[in-house]
Short mmCIF file of all heavy atoms in Angstrom, two decimals:
data_model
loop_
_atom_site.label_atom_id
_atom_site.label_comp_id
_atom_site.label_asym_id
_atom_site.label_seq_id
_atom_site.Cartn_x
_atom_site.Cartn_y
_atom_site.Cartn_z
N LEU H 342 -89.56 72.89 -16.18
CA LEU H 342 -88.11 72.88 -16.84
C LEU H 342 -87.82 71.43 -17.32
O LEU H 342 -87.92 70.47 -16.51
CB LEU H 342 -87.12 73.26 -15.76
CG LEU H 342 -85.63 73.44 -16.29
CD1 LEU H 342 -84.97 74.57 -15.35
CD2 LEU H 342 -84.79 72.15 -16.22
N VAL H 382 -84.32 79.11 -23.46
CA VAL H 382 -83.45 77.97 -23.66
C VAL H 382 -82.10 78.25 -22.90
O VAL H 382 -81.46 79.24 -23.12
CB VAL H 382 -83.08 77.76 -25.21
CG1 VAL H 382 -82.12 76.58 -25.38
CG2 VAL H 382 -84.38 77.54 -25.89
N GLN H 414 -88.56 84.22 -31.15
CA GLN H 414 -87.43 83.39 -30.74
C GLN H 414 -87.40 83.22 -29.22
O GLN H 414 -87.84 84.23 -28.50
CB GLN H 414 -86.13 84.09 -31.22
CG GLN H 414 -85.85 84.02 -32.66
CD GLN H 414 -85.48 82.64 -33.23
OE1 GLN H 414 -85.35 81.62 -32.43
NE2 GLN H 414 -85.41 82.52 -34.55
#
Side-chain angles (χ1 to χ4, degrees):
L342 190 151
V382 178
Q414 290 289 355

